[in-house]
Amino acid sequence: MISGLTEADTCRKHVVPKLIAAGWDENPHSFTEQRTFTDGRIIITGNTIRRGKQKRADFLLRFTRDFTVAVVEAKTNYKNAGDGLQQAKDYAEILGLRFAYSTNGTNIIEFDYFTGQERELDQFPSPGELWSLLRKADGLSDEQSERLLTPSNLQAGRQPRYYQEIAINRAIQEILKGKKRILITMATGTGKTLVAFQICWKLWSSRWNSTGAYRRPKILYLADRNILIDDPKDKTFTPFGDARHKIENGQVVKSREMYFAIYQAIAKDEHRPGLYREFARDFFDLIIVDECHRGSARDESNWREILEYFKPAFQIGMTATPLREDNRDTYRYFGNPIYTYSLRNGIEDGFLAPYRVHRVVTTADAAGWRPTKGELDRYGREIPDEEYQTKDFERVIALRARTEAIARHLSDFMGKTDRFAKTIVFCVDQEHANEMRRALNNLNADIVKQYSDYVCRVTADEGDVGRGHLSRFQELESNSPVILTTSMLLTTGVDAPMVKNVVLARVIGAMTEFKQIIGRGTRVRDDYGKYFFNIIDYTGSATLHFADSEFDGDPAFETEVTIDDKGLITNEEILTPEGAPSEEDEETPVEYIPPIIIEPPGDERRKYYIDNGIIEIAAHLVYELDVNGKQLRVVKYTDYTAETVRTLYPTAAELRRHWSQPNERKEIIRLFEERGIDFQELAKQTNQPDADHFDLICHLAYNAPLRTRRERADRLRKDRKDFFEQFGPQARAILEGLLVKYADYGIDQFIIPEVLKVPPISEYGNVTEIIGFFGGVDRLRGAFAELQEELYAA
């Protein structure tokens, strides 16, 4: 064995030849080297946004382009062949693979998930050997295997992500094995529509159908809203061409193959027995039910009647919400999901945006609101003498002052962040959405003069006009509309990737609905600088659901703000969450009231309207996820920093020993950043902009004296004159200049060669001349390193 090879050398000189010898480069088989399959979690530290480490496999072995069968991890040739096996197994489990390999280029260790055994090999198995084992384990015939391997349609270069590939292949495999009802659970924003398209495309292309005849299948794509149907039909499913047809206006067409419909268009009602009965029970081979948690499987629902009528068809339910009490019927009908990709998974992988939760409390929500004795509302009706709480506002009692306080606070918030950040405001009903729209419009009149549609209401009342506003809102580069107010219309099915603010002005009682609503903001757009979004919660709904032990996508940051009657902030405290929510943090769950409002006839009004009074903002909290995505209790940012530092380095002496070494200090800073500690933010929070990073964290973590950078530099000059005297005049002057830059700007000034190219160091000559003053590159680096060691010696 040749020693000293790097891991890259091992891959190139030993692993690749072995894979080629085993046949992994012979079409249609292939292998991909250094394949990154996640984007890296988005980490927010103060005002800095960075991505965490991506997951990257050394080799992925593909039986066909769309079917990965194994992962290989390689180590340098002087390590044991099995050293990478655990990592290979970790990746195999994430990627849904049944074979994992680790190699040092000479020996190969295999782990087989079918047998649970490890064995040592001299060469990699061939594609045919692994495929034969997979087929045997899954009981697939030649015909089933051929259909499973039907190529995906890579429209516009949209290669399915790893989790989408898993969902697609598992669904097809279950259908081929005869499973009639299938459930796929994928978080909002993770591409359920693309998964549905590829499933349909592969089955349609391979001429699969439920009868076994030689024909293409008849497929029905069902949802409960037109936007959930029109968008897929007109965009993602365009490769089906003329095979597509939308069932609407009571018209029945039976000559197509890819059908789209909303339940309401084919269900029975008081005027008709049900358009779906115009089709034979076995007309459709496959039915895709999008957002299937939204009532399709309830026993009492007309929608359930449709699914039962088409019982001979294979049925795939797609939902964004894991099993809970409020969607149990969905799971009872479809069964347990064959694959789950959660909100937490998406955030961890960096495919979904993390979010900051701002809990804003008005005085009316904090203490309740009670009318004065005999107080009359806008229409002269006496208001019942009761204490009204958040759950009553805009349902029983409409407080204009509260709506205006919320609108004022939101306008101020956007004024300090981004007035053109796409924002959706979820209101109690259509009337409340209009009141909120008017208040926001008037508070932003300076912009509305230029963009008349800056604030729009999008509810059922607006019809095509509202859909036009929504369409422009969804465009990546449109300037307006910027703020949409709505009640229920935008809770699902709206792909608006640039949404940066999700505003809750009504109580969200059901976890399923809450996840759908926050899903409006989870799209990531690196190319447009969209990495995270804000949830601005005026009702406590977010706090309630984050306290739920079953919630799987906790917030990243929390801020507490107090505001006055004009919506102005009078006090603000930024808090970083840590641990689980304590009992005192949790709120009493409110009873969920269905949000569908039916207006009474005539002049009878369903709520009381109060137009006067003063309502202020009492508090504003902000929550963030930590780097581990844990469900957290709230602690001060400085306390969180101190606790994190002590966890990593129990004593100041241990931290100092590592910090004084430039290479080790770089790793320490990386560890701190991954845990949400940003030195700029810390200096801002503690009002210590001149403190050395090391002294600041030691002060917080170990109660050490706090020093400024200038004090450290002056101490070094005074106490270690002998250090400077060992260098010639020019080198000594350069080191002195370096200390000046450190005192002014911090430890980042020690980076070579960048610091040599800027004043005052560059005034001594070019890089080559400066190196000459020290007697060579190694001596210059040594002098810079020693200077840093001396700087942190005490």
Side-chain angles (χ1 to χ4, degrees), residues 373 514 648:
K373 185 174 178 62
F514 176 68
L648 293 170

Side-chain angles (χ1 to χ4, degrees), residues 705-739:
L706 188 59
R707 295 176 178 174
T708 65
R709 296 186 299 273
R710 195 164 304 281
E711 286 173 336
R712 276 203 170 272
D714 290 343
R715 181 202 59 79
L716 178 58
R717 291 191 190 96
K718 178 182 177 181
D719 296 347
R720 290 305 314 273
K721 293 180 180 179
D722 58 322
F723 167 73
F724 294 96
E725 290 171 354
Q726 64 180 310
F727 299 99
Q730 295 94 338
R732 187 161 59 244
I734 290 170
L735 294 175
E736 286 279 2
L738 194 60
L739 271 186

Side-chain angles (χ1 to χ4, degrees), residues 227 231 235 422 453 456 458 463-481 484 489-490 494-497:
I227 193 169
D231 232 32
K235 295 177 182 178
K422 297 289 181 70
D453 59 352
C456 296
V458 177
D464 290 341
V465 174
R467 280 190 285 274
H469 291 320
L470 177 58
S471 178
R472 292 192 301 278
F473 181 82
Q474 291 176 281
E475 293 173 7
L476 286 168
E477 298 182 358
S478 65
N479 289 321
S480 65
L484 298 186
L489 194 62
L490 305 182
V494 177
D495 184 9

Side-chain angles (χ1 to χ4, degrees), residues 81 106-110 118-123:
T106 301
N107 299 316
I108 302 168
I109 304 297
E110 176 192 71
E118 293 181 20
R119 60 174 181 154
E120 186 169 350
L121 308 173
D122 294 325
Q123 58 187 12

Side-chain angles (χ1 to χ4, degrees), residues 496-558:
M498 290 305 292
V499 169
K500 293 185 177 179
N501 299 314
V502 174
V503 181
L504 306 180
R506 69 173 172 89
V507 173
I508 312 298
M511 177 68 82
T512 51
E513 184 184 13
F514 176 68
K515 284 195 169 185
Q516 291 292 328
I517 285 175
I518 66 173
R520 299 312 101 213
T522 54
R523 272 73 169 179
V524 174
R525 287 305 301 248
D526 299 66
D527 48 345
Y528 286 87
K530 160 68 185 305
Y531 293 99
F532 76 98
F533 68 104
N534 298 295
I535 299 173
I536 307 170
D537 177 19
Y538 295 98
T539 65
S541 298
T543 306
L544 172 66
H545 290 303
F546 294 143
D548 190 323
S549 61
E550 295 184 26
F551 186 72
D552 68 343
D554 317 294
F557 196 76
E558 178 171 349

Side-chain angles (χ1 to χ4, degrees), residues 127 129 163 325 385 397 423 476 494 506 529 587 591 609 652 682 684 691 725 735:
E129 289 176 286
Y163 61 87
E325 192 58 44
D385 185 16
I397 200 91
T423 301
L476 286 168
V494 177
R506 69 173 172 89
E587 301 181 9
E591 180 181 358
Y609 299 83
L682 203 57
K684 180 181 175 182
E725 290 171 354
L735 294 175

